[in-house]
Amino acid sequence: MSDFYRVRRLPPYVFEQVNRLKAKARAAGADIIDLGMGNPDLPAPKHVVDKLVETAGKPRTDRYSASKGIAGLRRAQAGYYERRFGVKLNPDTEIVATLGSKEGFANMAQAITAPGDVVLAPNPSYPIHAFGFLMAGGVIRSVPIEPDENYFRAAERAIQHSIPKPIALVVCYPSNPTAMVASLDFYRDLVTFAKKHDIYILSDIAYAEVYFDDDPPPSVLQVPGAKDICVEFSSMSKTFSMAGWRVGFAVGNERLLSALGRVKSYLDYGAFTPIQVAATAALNGPDDCIKEMRAVYKKRRDVMVESFAQAGWHIPAPSASMFAWVPVPDKFKPLGSLEFSKLLIEKADVAVAPGVGFGEHGDDYVRLALVENEQRIRQAARGIRRFFEGEDTLHNVIPAQARA
């Protein structure tokens, strides 16, 4: 495997180490509470499932579908953007349906990246934001994740010291993994910055509908002129609890989307047509299910913050996304996030995502997903409390050289 060019560019998958340990513990009979993967446990809306059932099995819908998405689905996404963001999109030229936002990012990287091209990506960040471009032969320069003035100072330095000049920058708000949210003012400055340096913006807003404070996260495409340089990726996975259905979108700049569509035309025929029809029903249908989803995650967030605090672990309350980005407790920081995550499985029966899996600047954190019900979250807190309060915890789990 080490002889293959693209495989050589990928480090060992950090999360797999945690997954193996989790599987081993479950095989031994442990009841592991899994707060690791952001895999929604809520059901897809009934009217969406009903539309899928109604459409499946008809001869016409069993045939190859449309790689860039059926026309009705693209029109539905255009309608969503106009209602939600006040952004008008041409369904024929400014929208491509993807097999989830992850596939969209990876194929966009294949479409626009030449060997050696530089892309600015946040660190920590969702892995595909960097490794999609690395697999395409590109080079990543890291910039901060915080949407503040320091971001632009760091991005300016990265551009000045990159040869060749970067072709694009990646942003993700609400952020996976940090749950940070960007303001429209930040996006205005970002568009100005990108136009000044003649680089593209690739924005991931997969969590735009998962917010808790009556302050909907904006889209960068709300900035006048953003479509000149920007493509935005979104997903049905979290908004409608349709993660396994693999439906997402890339919208915005016509030239970039034309390139993406051309690559996809060689690689796939699009999602199964009944899934696209059902996704259309989701976008065109009532939004009660979205409000209910938000209420469930908000309640889980509040329960997690409260119960984990009682266990001795402070959880910063996220204002959006389905994740909490949580500092590793000080006494365990010498271990790093991966070893701490392993310990939580072994000692507390709780699985989390180690922050180092999102980049080296995430190693002082772990990511907790709100994908277990309130009772299970409280159970996780009790297991963590027992672990934290165990006798000689530090001496049992941290080698002497690390403590020194």
Side-chain angles (χ1 to χ4, degrees):
M1 290 285 283
S2 62
D3 293 332
F4 297 126
Y5 168 73
R6 285 181 174 79
V7 174
R8 284 204 312 270
R9 308 206 78 196
L10 298 176
Y13 196 55
V14 168
F15 304 114
E16 184 56 32
Q17 298 184 48
V18 175
N19 290 339
R20 283 199 301 268
L21 194 60
K22 179 175 63 180
K24 181 179 178 181
R26 282 177 168 165
D31 179 18
I32 302 297
I33 300 170
D34 193 353
L35 306 177
M37 187 176 181
N39 197 6
D41 65 320
L42 304 179
K46 184 179 184 302
H47 69 280
V48 179
V49 176
D50 288 346
K51 179 59 70 172
L52 173 69
V53 172
E54 174 191 323
T55 312
K58 296 180 179 179
R60 288 187 62 83
T61 65
D62 284 337
R63 302 166 72 183
Y64 291 126
S65 192
S67 179
K68 64 182 293 186
I70 61 175
L73 179 58
R74 287 182 279 114
R75 287 195 297 269
Q77 178 69 349
Y80 163 75
Y81 255 79
E82 187 162 9
R83 292 191 308 273
R84 173 67 164 81
F85 302 114
V87 174
K88 292 187 177 182
L89 297 168
N90 184 328
D92 295 324
T93 60
E94 295 179 333
I95 299 177
V96 171
T98 63
L99 304 178
S101 58
K102 188 174 185 179
E103 175 267 326
F105 247 97
N107 280 331
M108 179 62 80
Q110 293 291 330
I112 70 173
T113 310
D117 277 349
V118 178
V119 172
L120 306 182
N123 188 337
S125 189
Y126 188 55
I128 198 64
H129 295 158
F131 291 108
F133 294 97
L134 289 173
M135 284 189 285
V139 176
I140 293 295
R141 285 194 69 107
S142 295
V143 293
I145 187 64
E146 295 84 356
D148 56 20
E149 282 302 314
N150 184 54
Y151 174 92
F152 293 104
R153 287 193 290 268
E156 188 78 45
R157 287 195 301 271
I159 289 174
Q160 290 174 357
H161 296 286
S162 293
I163 300 176
K165 181 176 74 70
I167 63 168
L169 60 85
V170 176
V171 291
C172 175
Y173 302 107
S175 166
N176 179 8
T178 70
M180 293 176 181
V181 179
S183 67
L184 191 54
D185 284 341
F186 172 80
Y187 282 142
R188 290 190 185 100
D189 292 341
L190 186 70
V191 170
T192 299
F193 178 87
K195 287 190 173 184
K196 170 188 172 184
H197 291 288
D198 192 28
I199 59 178
Y200 290 115
I201 297 171
L202 303 176
S203 169
D204 184 345
I205 61 163
Y207 298 89
E209 296 300 340
V210 190
Y211 58 89
F212 310 124
D213 299 329
D214 298 321
D215 187 15
S219 160
V220 65
L221 294 180
Q222 291 175 246
V223 178
K227 281 195 289 186
D228 297 341
I229 56 165
C230 180
V231 165
E232 192 156 66
F233 297 84
S234 61
S235 169
M236 308 286 284
S237 296
K238 309 308 188 295
T239 303
F240 296 98
S241 300
M242 293 167 58
W245 298 48
R246 308 315 301 138
V247 182
F249 301 93
V251 308
N253 181 266
E254 185 174 331
R255 180 168 179 261
L256 290 177
L257 291 177
S258 176
L260 172 62
R262 185 168 182 180
V263 166
K264 282 178 61 63
S265 71
Y266 281 90
L267 297 176
D268 68 71
Y269 287 106
F272 184 38
T273 295
I275 288 178
Q276 296 194 50
V277 172
T280 303
L283 290 169
N284 289 337
D287 64 356
D288 295 358
C289 54
I290 302 176
K291 294 175 182 176
E292 291 169 5
M293 171 273 296
R294 285 192 204 110
V296 169
Y297 286 136
K298 182 175 183 179
K299 182 62 175 176
R300 291 179 181 183
R301 178 201 67 172
D302 295 343
V303 167
M304 179 178 284
V305 169
E306 173 198 1
S307 61
F308 278 49
Q310 293 172 353
W313 195 6
H314 172 66
I315 306 293
S319 63
S321 86
M322 58 189 296
F323 303 114
W325 185 239
V326 187
V328 175
D330 287 343
K331 61 185 177 182
F332 295 103
K333 279 186 178 174
L335 290 173
S337 61
L338 177 58
E339 292 305 315
F340 176 66
S341 299
K342 292 179 180 179
L343 271 179
L344 287 179
I345 294 176
E346 295 173 354
K347 307 291 186 180
D349 291 339
V350 176
V352 302
V356 71
F358 304 96
E360 69 271 23
H361 295 301
D363 200 21
D364 286 339
Y365 297 82
V366 293
R367 192 194 70 179
L368 310 182
L370 304 172
V371 293
E372 294 272 11
N373 64 39
E374 296 163 33
Q375 178 182 346
R376 297 279 284 171
I377 291 172
R378 293 188 188 279
Q379 181 182 338
R382 291 193 294 271
I384 288 169
R385 183 172 185 171
R386 287 193 298 270
F387 168 41
F388 284 177
E389 293 180 350
E391 291 186 10
D392 299 322
T393 294
L394 285 178
H395 287 79
N396 287 335
V397 301
I398 301 179
Q401 61 267 31
R403 294 196 303 273

